[in-house]
Amino acid sequence: MIVVLAGGVGAARFLEGLVQVVSPEMIAAIVNTGDDMVFHGLHVSPDIDIVTYTLAGIVDPAQGWGIRDDTTHTLSMLARLGADTWFKLGDRDLAVHIRRTELLRAGWTLSQVTDAFRCALNVGIRVLPMSDDPVATEIFTPAGWLHFQQYLVQRRARDEVRGVRFVGIEQARPAPGVLEALHTAEMIVIAPSNPVVSIGTILAVPGVRDALMASPAPTVAISPIIAGAPVKGPAAPLMRAVGLEVSVRGVAACYRGLIDALVIDQADASLSDDIRSWGIDVMVTDTVMRGPAEKRRLAEATIAAARTAARRRS
């Protein structure tokens, strides 16, 4: 079993490559839920949906989120009625949120709903929420504490970042299957997701970091930073806010003590020795996932890095 710690778009695209190399039934993705938020009375799980839609082959390829060729008639009518519609939700996307909310109110857990949806959409890998308990990632700005979606989407990540917190994390428990997956994994991959507010949130769930450290499986991370800049999203200000250098060195420092190897882009090859000096193996490859071939190549390089790390462990 290959276990992947996953955020949103970057993780979903990596998983697209991984399922080309490994049978989907041999993959489990533990997905960040700190970005979840209620919109129009509906429970929205952005990262879970991005992973599920991508692997179902229905994601909007240009955006990396939402459903391909979706319409927004409902959102337009909500706006006409005076609702706040800064978070874009398509009509078919809304169907998912309506059904999720209905099932949660009926007593289902988020894990049960997620598994039912991935089966309905013919997704072969296991998709595990990091927790069934509510956790909210919040960003401290000059305007005060903002939910991550407010910071990123509503305010377009323009606010100065002064801090990050995960509200509810102390009471959260790993969702069913999460610790078991980490304990039985043959390989653990930290996807190229935001290390602070996607992967960092998963690792903050009590018991997850300890389970990862105790696992005998080799652990490999893929850097979401190339040549000192994130491929996508606001990783740079968030990394700086928690004292991390915005570079592959910063990614390595964030995961130091957790990973055996780091996959970095060719643009950062000159930093390999710095990372190796910390006892972390380095795999240098092209990490930009332009299409299916590049996604597959990155998956193959990541598996190779894990196998090399496993040999060195033994």
Side-chain angles (χ1 to χ4, degrees), residues 23-195:
S23 172
E25 292 74 21
M26 296 302 296
I27 303 168
I30 300 171
V31 185
N32 168 49
T33 59
D35 297 358
D36 288 20
M37 195 172 179
V38 173
F39 296 95
H40 313 298
L42 303 175
H43 185 117
V44 179
S45 294
D47 284 359
I48 288 175
D49 291 338
I50 288 169
V51 168
T52 304
Y53 295 169
T54 299
L55 294 171
I58 62 172
V59 77
D60 184 318
Q63 298 179 141
W65 50 269
I67 295 177
R68 183 177 59 248
D69 300 325
D70 209 351
T71 54
T72 55
H73 301 302
T74 303
L75 206 66
S76 297
M77 190 62 177
L78 283 167
R80 188 173 178 181
L81 296 171
D84 204 346
T85 57
W86 53 265
F87 195 85
K88 184 178 178 182
L89 296 167
D91 295 324
R92 283 184 290 167
D93 197 18
L94 276 164
V96 172
H97 311 319
I98 290 168
R99 182 60 174 156
R100 176 188 290 121
T101 304
E102 180 183 29
L103 292 172
L104 290 173
R105 288 174 179 166
W108 290 42
T109 64
L110 184 59
S111 294
Q112 291 170 328
V113 175
T114 300
D115 194 58
F117 286 6
R118 69 102 186 165
C119 290
L121 294 172
N122 297 314
V123 173
I125 78 166
R126 293 175 65 199
V127 181
L128 304 172
M130 67 182 197
S131 179
D132 285 335
D133 301 311
V135 175
T137 297
E138 294 188 348
I139 310 300
F140 189 49
T141 73
W145 286 103
L146 301 172
H147 189 281
F148 181 69
Q149 299 297 349
Q150 293 174 301
Y151 161 76
L152 177 65
V153 182
Q154 185 179 30
R155 300 169 71 96
R156 301 182 183 277
R158 291 172 180 156
D159 296 88
E160 175 193 355
V161 178
R162 297 179 176 177
V164 179
R165 68 183 181 186
F166 309 128
V167 178
I169 199 71
E170 294 84 1
Q171 293 77 39
R173 296 158 296 173
V178 167
L179 296 184
E180 178 188 3
L182 292 169
H183 289 317
T184 60
E186 298 174 18
M187 182 184 305
I188 299 170
V189 177
I190 299 177
S193 302
N194 190 310

